[in-house]
Amino acid sequence: MAKPKIEEYARVIRSQNFDEIMMLADKLAGKRVKMVNATAVGGGVAEILTRVVPLYNQLGLKVKWEVIKGTGAFFAVTKNFHNALHGSKVEIGEKDFAVFNEATEANLAEMDFTGDDYVIVHDPQPAGLIAAKEKSQAKWAWRCHIDTAHPQADVWNFLRQLIVKYDASIFSTPWFARDLPHPQYFIYPAIDPLSEKNRNLSRHEIDTVLNKYQIDRNRPLVVQVSRFDRLKDPLGVIETYRLVKKQVDCQLVLAGGAAADDPEGVQVLNEVTEAAKGDPDIHILALPPFADLEVNALQRAATVVLQKSLREGFGLTVTEALWKGKPVVASAVGGITLQVIHNFTGLLVHSVEGAAYQIRYLIGNPQVAKKLGEYGREHVREKFLITRKLRNYLLLFIALDHPGQDIIKL
Ligand code: UDP
């Protein structure tokens, strides 16, 4: 699918918001930006970068996206870091920090930051690249996509000594802010309404996907789309479905793929497949990367979209579902609570039983489900579309050029 032109967004958002983007981009024309993360495919960060990088370039900036390299051992360590930052108890030792440092050194030897005006480093995996700052002219910001409200101390302290060297940090919400000596900015993640994953689909396109996976269009369908990761609670999703099913006939789709930097995925998928055995109404779909049309169709086909995460940085799958006007039942964790305002843009839950109760309620009350979906869509239009994010980053670049100034005259 061809990448949309920036002008096409003018018909999705309010015109004053669009004009502001163009004005800010004009101030930054020609500036060189480097975005660095750990995976080109899979998970929310790659998803966002795939969409925003071409748009910045259309706006006249020169943005490059580079992906660091790492061994299996490195990604096992950074997966543990990820879980520890989210607050899970994880065993980490000096050996793990050494593996992390070695990968950092190897990447530093291959990467070049000369000529960059801004370097944005996403998440912990590439955080050590800050060692290149001394030799670069760029302003450096660390972009954290993780819920860092209650990180495991040893992992956070290790990362912190790297992060303090950045000019600024960016978190997804103020709740995740840390004690840091530099400015902290807050930028909500966002989705692209014109992407293959979020564009409108015809009935025929949706049905084609449902037929492919032998899902019955005529019975209620509960859908969770997420990587096969314990923090997405896939076993809790199956338990929830089983409780719903005791009283209401329904089907479950649990669809996900594994991110290239997530070695746990296969193991979790096996556990989930085992738990679902013997019930033809549970569809466990191991999707390949770039199955955007499938994800779109499954979300649109859902009677209720579930997001039963135990922890969540933000939860783009929730944004995607809300944008599609779907009633969402989601755990009240992390960034989900910014998106799902209880009883207004969706329903928040705290347990398997609570999730099952609310799903049954929505299946039985389609008018309520429809209203929640409509409000959810408008909430996303105002706050969580990619255009708002573009605007925030343009402002961030300008702010990085004016350290310590509360008011910047443009
Ligand atoms: N996703 C996908 N295919 C899958 C699983 C997830 O395309 O099999 C997408 C999903 O639609 C969303 C992103 O990956 O855009 C996941 O982002 P989220 O913030 O929900 O979770 P993360 O994986 O970053 O923890």
Side-chain angles (χ1 to χ4, degrees):
M1 188 188 171
K3 293 261 157 49
K5 298 259 172 299
I6 185 76
E7 296 78 26
E8 292 176 50
Y9 293 85
R11 55 186 170 77
V12 185
I13 59 170
R14 290 192 289 135
S15 59
Q16 59 266 49
N17 289 347
F18 186 79
D19 295 345
E20 200 180 325
I21 292 173
M22 302 312 275
M23 185 273 287
L24 292 171
D26 200 44
K27 305 272 173 218
L28 290 159
K31 292 280 191 183
R32 291 174 186 276
V33 184
K34 189 164 286 157
M35 299 279 181
V36 188
N37 83 324
T39 173
V41 182
V45 180
E47 175 79 18
I48 292 172
L49 288 174
T50 305
R51 305 304 303 181
V52 289
V53 169
L55 291 176
Y56 287 122
N57 285 314
Q58 285 181 40
L59 285 167
L61 287 84
K62 294 189 173 9
V63 181
K64 274 199 177 157
W65 171 15
E66 292 187 10
V67 177
I68 58 161
K69 294 184 190 144
T71 58
F74 170 69
F75 286 123
V77 167
T78 57
K79 178 70 189 180
N80 278 340
F81 278 18
H82 179 95
N83 290 339
L85 291 175
H86 264 300
S88 306
K89 180 86 195 79
V90 171
E91 288 297 322
I92 302 262
E94 284 309 316
K95 245 181 30 223
D96 301 302
F97 295 134
V99 168
F100 182 93
N101 289 337
E102 253 171 54
T104 299
E105 290 302 325
N107 281 297
L108 279 167
E110 287 195 11
M111 296 177 78
D112 177 19
F113 298 94
T114 46
D116 293 324
D117 293 302
Y118 313 103
V119 178
I120 311 292
V121 173
H122 294 259
D123 279 341
Q125 302 93 326
L129 295 178
I130 191 64
K133 183 171 189 278
E134 268 175 33
K135 283 193 240 141
S136 96
Q137 305 297 312
K139 299 283 188 316
W140 288 62
W142 183 63
R143 194 340 172 185
C144 180
H145 297 268
I146 298 171
D147 172 351
T148 44
H150 304 287
Q152 186 172 309
D154 51 356
V155 173
W156 172 250
N157 290 338
F158 172 76
L159 284 172
R160 190 179 183 280
Q161 39 98 24
L162 302 172
I163 290 155
V164 293
K165 298 178 186 156
Y166 285 78
D167 296 301
S169 304
I170 310 158
F171 293 90
S172 291
T173 85
W175 313 324
F176 304 161
R178 306 295 311 161
D179 177 19
L180 291 167
H182 56 221
Q184 297 180 57
Y185 296 96
F186 305 103
I187 301 184
Y188 296 144
I191 59 162
D192 186 343
L194 304 182
S195 68
E196 185 70 353
K197 186 171 286 174
N198 296 310
R199 71 176 172 89
N200 276 330
L201 294 182
S202 68
R203 176 79 194 231
H204 175 70
E205 285 174 304
I206 296 172
D207 284 348
T208 306
V209 171
L210 293 190
N211 289 340
K212 175 168 155 193
Y213 295 117
Q214 297 171 328
I215 298 161
D216 180 357
R217 186 74 165 116
N218 298 312
R219 285 187 298 143
L221 180 63
V222 177
V223 172
Q224 174 162 311
V225 176
S226 278
R227 288 179 298 104
F228 288 101
D229 181 317
R230 292 206 172 82
L231 292 179
K232 309 288 182 184
D233 198 16
L235 295 175
V237 170
I238 294 177
E239 270 183 72
T240 301
Y241 153 84
R242 292 216 160 104
L243 282 184
V244 176
K245 182 98 170 180
K246 278 189 182 167
Q247 292 177 28
V248 185
D249 184 26
C250 63
Q251 311 162 84
L252 173 68
V253 165
L254 191 45
D261 61 344
D262 180 5
E264 254 173 22
V266 178
Q267 200 185 334
V268 176
L269 174 59
N270 289 340
E271 289 168 18
V272 170
T273 311
E274 185 59 33
K277 237 190 204 159
D279 185 340
D281 282 339
I282 304 182
H283 302 266
I284 307 292
L285 309 182
L287 299 176
F290 302 118
D292 290 358
L293 175 66
E294 276 84 352
V295 170
N296 191 344
L298 292 168
Q299 288 170 331
R300 285 182 191 278
T303 315
V304 175
V305 169
L306 175 61
Q307 190 62 49
K308 179 71 192 61
S309 306
L310 301 173
R311 299 266 198 295
E312 196 60 77
F314 183 72
L316 283 172
T317 49
V318 170
T319 332
E320 290 157 8
L322 294 174
W323 178 245
K324 293 171 179 107
K326 288 290 148 181
V328 171
V329 171
S331 305
V333 294
I336 288 178
T337 56
L338 292 166
Q339 306 186 63
V340 176
I341 302 165
H342 187 61
N343 266 328
F344 182 56
T345 65
L347 297 174
L348 290 173
V349 294
H350 300 85
S351 64
V352 164
E353 291 76 14
Y357 174 85
Q358 299 294 23
I359 292 170
R360 276 198 304 264
Y361 171 69
L362 290 176
I363 292 176
N365 292 279
Q367 285 312 319
V368 176
K370 184 161 176 277
K371 266 278 163 261
L372 291 176
E374 283 168 11
Y375 288 136
R377 181 171 165 92
E378 289 316 305
H379 189 49
V380 171
R381 191 194 306 279
E382 252 333 282
K383 288 195 139 158
F384 306 121
L385 291 185
I386 200 174
T387 35
R388 196 262 317 130
K389 195 181 172 77
L390 281 177
R391 191 165 112 244
N392 287 162
Y393 265 101
L394 296 174
L395 284 167
L396 169 80
F397 297 147
I398 292 171
L400 286 172
D401 281 336
H402 297 82
Q405 291 184 29
D406 289 337
I407 297 173
I408 301 166
K409 290 212 165 49
L410 293 176

